[in-house]
Amino acid sequence: MDAATDPAPGASSAAPGASSAAPGARPAIRASDRERDAATHRLQDAFAEGRLDDAEFDVRMRSALSARTQADLDGLLADLPAPGPAPAGPGSAGRGPGRLNVAFKSPVRRSGRWRVPDRHTSIVYKGSGWLDLRAAELTAPVTTLLAVAYKSRITILVPPGVRVEAGGFGADTDTDPAAVVPADAPVLHVRGFSYKGTVEVRSRPPGD
C-alpha cells in the first residue's frame, strides 16, 4: 500500500460527524425547547431572589437559550436550589396583573417577579419610570407596553429570549441585535411617546 495513503499511526478513521466519545460512554442528550424554557424560568426566579447579579443573569440566560445538551443546562443550574411548588392564590388564581401605572412628580418602579398583562400602560409626569421585565412573568404570547413620558425618563429592561418591537415617538432602543431569539419567543411591542423626555428599551441596565 502506498505510504502516502496509509493513515497515520493512531489516527481515527471515523466518518465526519461521528461521536468521538470513548467506547461505552453515553452520548450527550440533546436539550429540548421545553427544557431550555424551564431553565430560563429557573434563572429568572434565582435573579428575582437575588442569587444572581445583573451580569451573571444575562450570561446564563443567553447560554440557556443556546444550550445544545441537557448537561449544558445542568451546568447553568448546578449552584441554584431546586424549584419549589408553584405559588397559589392571587399570583395564579386570584386578581390579575395590574394594567396601569401613573406617576405625578414621583417614580414608577416595577422589578422582580411580577405579572405583566397582555396590555400595560405606564404614564409618568415629571418623574421617572423603571420597568424591569427580566424576571417578570409575561402572561400572553404578545405583550403591548405603552409608555408615556412627559419631561421624564422611562427605562424598560427586557430579558434575552424576547422578541422586542419598539415604535412610537421619542423611543430609544438599545438591545443586542445578535442575541439568540427562539422562533416561538414571546413578543413585546413597546410603544413609547415622550415630550422633553425619553423612553428607552434596553437589554442591560445603564452603565453595564
Side-chain angles (χ1 to χ4, degrees):
M1 181 179 292
D2 189 344
T5 61
D6 275 345
S12 172
S13 59
S19 172
S20 59
R26 297 181 61 184
I29 305 300
R30 294 279 181 160
S32 68
D33 289 340
R34 179 175 295 182
E35 288 166 336
R36 280 185 282 266
D37 187 58
T40 61
H41 284 296
R42 287 273 303 278
L43 292 172
Q44 284 184 309
D45 288 339
F47 177 68
E49 294 165 358
R51 301 181 190 275
L52 301 174
D53 61 22
D54 288 335
E56 197 167 24
F57 171 72
D58 186 75
V59 169
R60 292 200 195 192
M61 280 287 285
R62 294 175 190 277
S63 297
L65 290 166
S66 59
R68 299 179 62 189
T69 68
Q70 293 177 350
D72 293 337
L73 295 175
D74 291 342
L76 296 171
L77 307 174
D79 58 350
L80 301 178
S92 54
R95 185 178 60 185
R99 293 178 175 272
L100 177 66
N101 286 322
V102 179
F104 179 78
K105 296 184 179 180
S106 62
V108 164
R109 186 176 184 89
R110 299 300 303 267
S111 60
R113 200 65 170 155
W114 61 292
R115 301 184 73 217
V116 185
D118 60 342
R119 299 186 67 85
H120 182 83
T121 300
S122 288
I123 302 173
V124 181
Y125 176 84
K126 292 185 179 180
S128 63
W130 179 268
L131 304 178
D132 190 345
L133 306 180
R134 292 174 296 168
E137 176 191 353
L138 301 181
T139 59
V142 178
T143 302
T144 299
L145 196 62
L146 173 63
V148 180
Y150 180 88
K151 296 184 178 180
S152 308
R153 174 183 294 273
I154 299 177
T155 301
I156 303 168
L157 292 175
V158 298
V162 173
R163 179 168 285 106
V164 179
E165 299 174 357
F169 179 76
D172 179 33
T173 304
D174 183 14
T175 57
D176 184 0
V180 176
V181 180
D184 60 348
V187 178
L188 179 66
H189 291 293
V190 178
R191 298 174 60 204
F193 298 91
S194 65
Y195 174 75
K196 294 185 178 180
T198 186
V199 175
E200 57 178 1
V201 183
R202 306 177 59 94
S203 55
R204 294 182 177 88
D208 277 14

